[in-house]
Amino acid sequence: MDFMTDHNVQKYMEDGYVVLDGLLTSQECDELRQRMTDIVDRMDVPEHCRITFSTYHDEQLKKQGNADYFITSGDKIRFFFEKGVFDDKGEFIVPKQRSLNKVGHALHAYEPLYKKVTHSPKVQGIAKKLGLVNPVILQSMYIFKQPGIGGEVTPHQDATFLYTEPLGRVMGLWIALEDATVNNGCLWFIPGSHNSGISRRMVRTPKGTFPLTDFIGREQAYAEEKFIAAPVKKGGVVLIHGEVVHRSAENISEDSRHVYTFHIMESQDTHWSPDNWLQPTEELPFPPLYTK
Ligand SMILES: O=C(O)CCC(=O)C(=O)O
């Protein structure tokens, strides 16, 4: 039997997201977490690149160095921090392992364990079940949601940042490497909100100008009661339609909420916007999903 059932497909189509249990075993989750611990132990981030995030998408890109570090991270493994983790000299005031908001955006290409999960038969099976003909991988991230300081992610649609023509070609896979609960900052969704287009776009500004990105349009205000929590057990995955409105709350619990997430796009008959912050490069064209 397929890992993703017809019922799951129907839920995804109706709601714009669906939770599937058991994509990874507990041991596979622990291996991915251990690998990230090793990467963070060895990380060396120049002072001018120490970017803090007030929310996932609200990058504090006011300094040129920070902005460059972000916008050129699509084909690299780079480090983005929570607020308040550095003193004025840029030295850590919390343990390194507790300082990060996320690592991105090319774990799927350069880290063998992450690459293996991204191209796993179950993931390929999900894409096939959804009828994707030539899916490619756009980006990947490890998100920490640190205990006590993991910041909120405000309501957004992923297509704001990963825009295609037509819309409806992008999907996120968000894999819980630990239980994601209402207490430690699981995702919340507005079911069915993927059917109304997008309200804003993040675009690159003309070459040679600063800041490097800007927004067209505005995020709408969404009524709190429309959001439904989507807790996920360790090893489960949430499929996230590119236009569904979602958010996550601050983590005020004592538990972390680590996830590995990546986005795929149906590349057949799809135009990837050259205005998106993320661009394929010579070093890393968007890799096809249906390979090992
Ligand atoms: O992991 C989170 O808290 C939010 C992630 C998210 O919204 C996204 O990747 O689009």
Side-chain angles (χ1 to χ4, degrees), residues 17 22 25 28 45 51 55 73 91 107 118 126-128 131 157 173 179 190 197 243 253 256 265:
Y17 71 99
T25 63
E28 287 170 326
V45 183
I51 303 185
T55 74
S73 65
E91 301 300 333
L107 291 160
T118 310
I126 290 171
K128 287 184 182 150
Q157 299 167 291
L173 289 90
D179 289 347
I190 302 184
E243 281 97 82
S253 80
S256 55
M265 171 183 79

Side-chain angles (χ1 to χ4, degrees), residues 56-57 141 143 145 153 156 158 174 187 246 248 257 263:
Y56 158 25
H57 295 303
M141 296 179 277
I143 305 179
K145 207 62 145 179
V153 176
H156 66 276
D158 292 343
W174 190 96
L187 295 175
H246 59 290
S248 68
R257 192 231 60 191
H263 286 84

Side-chain angles (χ1 to χ4, degrees), residues 5-281:
T5 65
D6 292 343
H7 177 69
N8 297 147
V9 173
Q10 195 188 335
K11 276 299 274 172
Y12 177 74
M13 297 298 184
E14 276 170 23
D15 293 343
Y17 71 99
V18 67
V19 178
L20 310 177
D21 286 332
L23 181 82
L24 300 182
T25 63
S26 178
Q27 190 187 333
E28 287 170 326
C29 293
D30 293 345
E31 284 166 5
L32 290 170
R33 291 184 52 203
Q34 183 53 52
R35 178 65 195 141
M36 186 48 66
T37 302
D38 298 343
I39 293 171
V40 175
D41 268 344
R42 291 199 329 265
M43 84 179 158
D44 181 19
V45 183
E47 196 276 328
H48 72 279
C49 298
R50 293 183 182 181
I51 303 185
T52 62
F53 273 45
S54 52
T55 74
Y56 158 25
H57 295 303
D58 180 16
E59 285 84 357
Q60 302 193 339
L61 301 178
K62 295 185 186 107
K63 290 196 224 153
Q64 181 87 42
N66 283 0
D68 286 339
Y69 185 74
F70 167 71
I71 212 158
T72 57
S73 65
D75 59 1
K76 300 190 181 58
I77 294 176
R78 288 194 165 162
F79 303 92
F80 304 93
F81 297 91
E82 288 291 348
K83 260 199 212 162
V85 301
F86 299 118
D87 65 16
D88 345 337
K89 297 200 181 80
E91 301 300 333
F92 286 102
I93 54 175
V94 301
K96 253 180 165 186
Q97 292 287 349
R98 289 289 183 101
S99 64
L100 283 156
N101 173 293
K102 70 174 182 178
V103 172
H105 289 93
L107 291 160
H108 62 283
Y110 301 129
E111 275 296 322
L113 275 185
Y114 290 87
K115 186 172 181 177
K116 189 169 154 210
V117 166
T118 310
H119 291 270
S120 68
K122 277 186 184 164
V123 169
Q124 294 192 18
I126 290 171
K128 287 184 182 150
K129 186 84 188 175
L130 289 168
L132 304 189
V133 178
N134 194 9
V136 294
I137 303 150
L138 300 174
Q139 61 164 15
S140 53
M141 296 179 277
Y142 190 102
I143 305 179
F144 295 81
K145 207 62 145 179
Q146 304 283 359
I149 59 165
E152 79 164 317
V153 176
T154 53
H156 66 276
Q157 299 167 291
D158 292 343
T160 289
F161 308 94
L162 307 172
Y163 181 76
T164 59
E165 285 170 5
L167 283 169
R169 300 306 175 106
V170 168
M171 179 174 82
L173 289 90
W174 190 96
I175 305 170
L177 303 181
E178 302 180 284
D179 289 347
T181 67
V182 169
N183 288 337
N184 70 7
C186 70
L187 295 175
W188 293 69
F189 290 90
I190 302 184
S193 54
H194 59 304
N195 292 318
S196 313
I198 57 168
S199 51
R200 68 178 176 145
R201 273 190 68 190
M202 187 202 223
V203 291
R204 284 176 177 251
T205 52
K207 260 203 164 71
T209 60
F210 193 79
L212 303 181
T213 56
D214 204 354
F215 284 99
I216 300 174
R218 307 179 68 165
E219 199 61 58
Q220 291 170 35
Y222 301 101
E224 190 57 33
E225 62 274 13
K226 288 192 174 165
F227 286 91
I228 307 283
V232 194
K233 292 210 180 61
K234 180 177 180 181
V237 61
V238 193
L239 308 186
I240 307 174
H241 187 285
E243 281 97 82
V244 73
V245 177
H246 59 290
R247 66 172 176 83
S248 68
E250 285 177 306
N251 181 3
I252 48 172
S253 80
E254 288 175 5
D255 306 316
S256 55
R257 192 231 60 191
H258 290 194
V259 306
Y260 172 54
T261 180
F262 57 94
H263 286 84
I264 62 176
M265 171 183 79
E266 170 59 273
S267 66
Q268 179 161 283
D269 300 328
T270 305
H271 175 68
W272 177 253
S273 173
D275 298 330
N276 286 333
W277 79 267
L278 175 70
Q279 293 300 322
T281 60

